[in-house]
Amino acid sequence: MTSPVPPAADEPVYDDRVYRSPMAMVTGVLMLALVCWLCGDALVRGSGSAPWIAGAVLVCGVPLIVAFTLRPAVFANDNRMRVRNPFRTIELPWAAVDAVRAGYSAEVLAEGAKYQLWSIPVSLRERKKANRRAARAAAADVAVADASGAGADKVVHELTELAERGAARAGAQGSVKVRWSYEIIAPAAIGAVALIVLLATR
C-alpha cells in the first residue's frame, strides 16, 4: 500500500485510536477474579502442597489470562499502527503496510508477513449475514454503502483509510518492528515449570 508520492512533511499527529474487544476484557476480569478467589483460598486455607500448587497456578495463569483477554489491542495514528497481541507487539509504519483485511480473522499484511489482529474479533454470524447481503446486492445490481456491516469490517475500513492517507508521510516511513513480550512469557513459563514439578513430586 505504498505510494509513489514522495514523503510529505509531517502534519501534527493526533492521539491514537484504540481498538479493543469489550467482551474479551469483561471475560478477562471475570476469569482473573475467579482464579484469584480460588487460588487465594487455597493459599490461605490449604495444607501440604496445596498452597504451593495454588501459587504456581497464579504465577502461570494470571499472565496467560491477561495475555489473551486484557492485553490485545490495536493502536493507530496518522503515522503507524501498533498491534499488541498476546505474546508480541508489532509496530507497523503505514508505508510498510500492504493491506488490512478481515476474512475469518482480522489481519494486516506487511513486508511479506501476515500478522493477526487479536483485539478485532470476527463474528462468523456477522460474516455470513454480510456475505448474504453482498450476494443480494450483487443479484439486484444495486450499490450499498456498507455491504458487509460486520464490526470487524468497519474497523478494517478505518485502518485502511488511515494507511492510505498516511503512507506518504515522513513519519510513516520505516520497517516493521516486532518485540516479544517477555513480561508475559517469563512468569507464565516459570509458573508452568513450577506447577509441573509440584504435580510430579506429589
Side-chain angles (χ1 to χ4, degrees), residues 74 83 85 88 90 105-108 114-119:
V74 171
V83 180
N85 283 342
R88 294 191 300 177
I90 306 104
S105 66
E107 55 197 24
V108 56
K114 179 171 67 176
Y115 306 97
Q116 286 192 321
L117 308 179
W118 281 73
S119 68

Side-chain angles (χ1 to χ4, degrees), residues 18-29 69-70 72 118-121:
V18 183
Y19 301 93
R20 297 177 183 269
S21 170
M23 184 59 68
M25 296 185 69
V26 170
T27 302
V29 170
T69 59
L70 304 181
W118 281 73
S119 68
I120 305 174

Side-chain angles (χ1 to χ4, degrees), residues 3-86:
S3 172
V5 180
D10 275 349
E11 298 173 2
V13 177
Y14 296 99
D15 291 341
D16 288 349
R17 301 185 189 186
V18 183
Y19 301 93
R20 297 177 183 269
S21 170
M23 184 59 68
M25 296 185 69
V26 170
T27 302
V29 170
L30 293 176
M31 290 180 66
L32 284 174
L34 179 62
V35 168
C36 290
W37 174 54
L38 293 175
C39 292
D41 186 67
L43 283 170
V44 173
R45 302 184 182 185
S47 59
S49 62
W52 294 100
I53 292 175
V57 169
L58 276 175
V59 173
C60 177
V62 168
L64 291 178
I65 292 172
V66 170
F68 286 99
T69 59
L70 304 181
R71 176 181 164 79
V74 171
F75 304 87
N77 60 32
D78 293 334
N79 286 337
R80 66 194 65 243
M81 172 167 64
R82 182 162 56 93
V83 180
R84 200 168 67 189
N85 283 342

Side-chain angles (χ1 to χ4, degrees), residues 4 6 25 31 40 62 69-70 73 92 97 116 139 153 159-160 184 190:
M25 296 185 69
M31 290 180 66
V62 168
T69 59
L70 304 181
L92 306 106
V97 173
Q116 286 192 321
D153 290 326
L159 293 174
T160 299
I184 295 289
I190 292 170

